[in-house]
């Protein structure tokens, strides 16, 4: 597992981290605690040192499980990023008091006196634009309650707005072969300003794994079932904003572009890491055996330059017109 620095003034992170939404069992089948702990332990064994969670994942369950996992671990290289901004405070309950209360609760669940990284969790654009919440974060940082702060965003506009904030360490974004808009403007500007990039949904809710079909069934409480058209939250968080059937069609075309001995998931995730503005990708895992396959992406050679050019053309000519939602 290779490492990269998260932002100009940040810390080292594994190129492949672990997204911990599934540990809270907000959608799909609930994970048993022993399975969640096994996933975390396996990730650490495979060189993963960066874990991304949020206070609303399972109403604190994900943070609590990570806290249990970390207890007694003497590994200063392990870093945990959490988030604040959804749940009870969304969309208009933001105050310095609510932020402090939320962060104190996260510290307690994670068993940390000072949080490594707190990210604003896709809060309303107008709250970002007003800017007071960043002042509150800077105050908490100066007090040692948090070490760094960043923002998880939905659009290029929000990302460009946030990187102008003094002290912002990182942006968390949706970025994959099906969502390439960030390449031309946001990634270069973030890199120039020393802001690290954390990539969520590298496989576009799994569709870029190449393993889904028209017959694939998702659980009733799985967002890939109930949020296909953005009924419950931003449509881009499910299948990168593509209609499912169109996504399947495009994946079949992508399979013809695969390098020898590389899976769809390999190509999709390696493509992201080939962009040097990216600090880490955070695929999820619902079973320990999925960890090794994800972690191995770090050791793959970069994709050929011609393939990169072909994938850009593929996005512009065949994908971009079908992406829905704010982007």
């Amino acid at each position: 597992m290779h490492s990269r620095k998260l932002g100009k003034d940040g810390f080292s992170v594994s190129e492949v981290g672990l997204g911990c939404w599934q540990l809270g069992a907000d959608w799909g089948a609930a994970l048993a605690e022993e399975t969640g702990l096994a996933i975390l332990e396996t990730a650490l064994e495979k060189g993963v040192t960066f874990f991304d969670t949020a206070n609303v994942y399972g109403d604190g369950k994900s943070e609590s499980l990570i806290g249990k996992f970390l207890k007694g671990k003497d590994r200063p290289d392990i870093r945990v990023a959490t988030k604040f901004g959804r749940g009870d405070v969304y969309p208009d309950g933001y105050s310095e008091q609510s932020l402090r209360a939320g962060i104190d609760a996260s510290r307690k669940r994670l068993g940390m006196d000072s949080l490594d990284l707190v990210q604003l969790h896709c809060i309303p654009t107008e709250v970002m634009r007003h800017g007071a919440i960043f002042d509150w974060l800077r105050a908490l940082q100066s007090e040692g309650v948090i070490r760094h702060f960043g923002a998880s965003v939905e659009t290029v506009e929000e990302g460009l707005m946030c990187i102008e904030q003094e002290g912002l360490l990182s942006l968390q974004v949706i970025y994959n072969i099906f969502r390439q808009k960030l390449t031309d403007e946001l990634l270069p500007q973030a890199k120039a300003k020393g802001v690290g990039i954390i990539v969520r949904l590298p496989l576009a809710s799994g569709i870029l794994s190449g393993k889904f079909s028209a017959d694939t069934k998702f659980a009733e409480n799985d967002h890939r079932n109930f949020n296909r058209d953005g009924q419950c939250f931003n449509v881009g968080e499910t299948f990168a904003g593509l209609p499912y059937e169109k996504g399947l069609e495009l994946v079949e075309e992508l399979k013809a572009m695969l390098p020898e001995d590389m899976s769809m998931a390999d190509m999709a995730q390696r493509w992201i890491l080939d962009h040097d503005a990216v600090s880490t990708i955070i695929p999820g895992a619902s079973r320990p055996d999925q960890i090794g396959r994800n972690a191995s992406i770090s050791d793959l050679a970069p994709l050929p330059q011609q393939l990169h050019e072909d994938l850009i053309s593929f996005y512009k000519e065949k994908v971009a017109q079908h992406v829905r939602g704010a982007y």
Side-chain angles (χ1 to χ4, degrees):
M1 175 70 72
H2 300 284
S3 297
R4 300 184 184 186
K5 192 173 182 182
L6 182 65
K8 177 173 62 70
D9 300 317
F11 43 79
S12 178
V13 294
S14 52
E15 287 187 334
V16 180
L18 179 66
C20 296
W21 186 7
Q22 75 282 0
L23 300 185
D26 285 316
W27 54 268
L31 282 180
E33 180 175 298
E34 55 268 29
T35 302
L37 290 171
I39 288 170
L40 293 166
E41 290 286 359
T42 303
L44 193 57
E45 290 169 7
K46 296 297 182 180
V48 173
T49 61
F50 183 70
F51 300 88
D52 178 87
T53 185
N55 61 351
V56 293
Y57 293 172
D59 193 24
K61 181 181 176 182
S62 177
E63 287 183 330
S64 295
L65 194 63
I66 293 170
K68 184 171 184 177
F69 159 71
L70 291 175
K71 197 170 184 179
K73 290 270 191 310
D74 186 19
R75 287 287 301 271
D77 59 332
I78 297 175
R79 303 291 183 171
V80 178
T82 192
K83 305 183 196 75
F84 168 86
R86 304 296 284 193
D88 292 345
V89 297
Y90 186 87
D92 56 5
Y94 302 101
S95 66
E96 186 168 7
Q97 181 180 4
S98 66
L99 174 62
R100 287 180 177 273
I103 287 177
D104 283 345
S106 291
R107 290 163 67 201
K108 183 177 181 180
R109 287 189 289 264
L110 288 165
M112 294 178 164
D113 293 329
S114 180
L115 298 179
D116 294 320
L117 174 64
V118 171
Q119 305 161 94
L120 298 178
H121 196 176
C122 299
I123 67 174
T125 307
E126 285 307 311
V127 179
M128 295 182 196
R129 184 173 288 115
H130 184 267
I133 197 165
F134 292 103
D135 292 332
W136 305 335
L137 287 166
R138 281 185 279 265
L140 287 165
Q141 185 180 39
S142 68
E143 296 166 19
V145 175
I146 64 175
R147 293 187 176 93
H148 301 280
F149 64 89
S152 180
V153 298
E154 298 281 8
T155 68
V156 169
E157 176 194 6
E158 291 173 350
L160 292 172
M161 186 186 309
C162 287
I163 64 175
E164 295 300 323
Q165 287 290 337
E166 182 67 30
L168 187 94
L169 179 69
S170 62
L171 281 180
Q172 185 175 133
V173 297
I174 302 173
Y175 185 54
N176 53 54
I177 289 173
F178 282 166
R179 278 176 87 90
Q180 297 187 33
K181 182 179 175 182
L182 287 65
T183 305
D184 294 334
E185 187 173 10
L186 183 56
L187 293 193
Q189 291 202 35
K191 182 181 176 182
K193 290 181 176 294
V195 174
I197 296 290
I198 301 165
V199 174
R200 68 184 185 273
L201 297 172
L203 294 177
S205 306
I207 198 168
L208 282 171
S209 70
K211 297 179 179 180
F212 296 165
S213 72
D215 297 324
T216 300
K217 301 296 183 184
F218 301 105
E220 186 177 343
N221 63 340
D222 190 316
H223 74 107
R224 292 172 293 189
N225 178 47
F226 68 73
N227 193 57
R228 285 196 185 190
D229 297 312
Q231 300 98 316
C232 299
F233 42 83
N234 188 290
V235 67
E237 298 284 351
T238 304
F239 304 129
L242 287 173
Y244 182 61
E245 294 72 17
K246 174 54 68 172
L248 292 177
E249 177 186 319
L250 293 168
V251 165
E252 288 306 307
E253 293 189 50
L254 282 173
K255 288 179 179 178
M257 303 166 71
L258 282 175
E260 190 175 355
D261 299 324
M262 192 174 265
S263 69
M264 266 296 302
D266 290 342
M267 181 176 76
Q269 294 180 95
R270 187 63 245 181
W271 177 85
I272 302 170
L273 286 179
D274 283 353
H275 295 83
D276 61 4
V278 171
S279 304
T280 184
I281 60 175
I282 50 170
S286 57
R287 303 189 312 271
D289 63 278
Q290 295 172 332
I291 298 291
R293 293 197 295 273
N294 289 337
S296 68
I297 304 302
S298 179
D299 283 330
L300 295 178
L303 301 180
Q305 182 58 36
Q306 184 59 55
L307 178 55
H308 272 283
E309 294 174 10
D310 291 344
L311 289 171
I312 291 171
S313 297
F314 176 80
Y315 168 75
K316 291 180 177 178
E317 296 168 10
K318 299 189 175 184
V319 181
Q321 61 188 304
H322 299 291
V323 177
R324 300 169 298 170
Y327 177 27

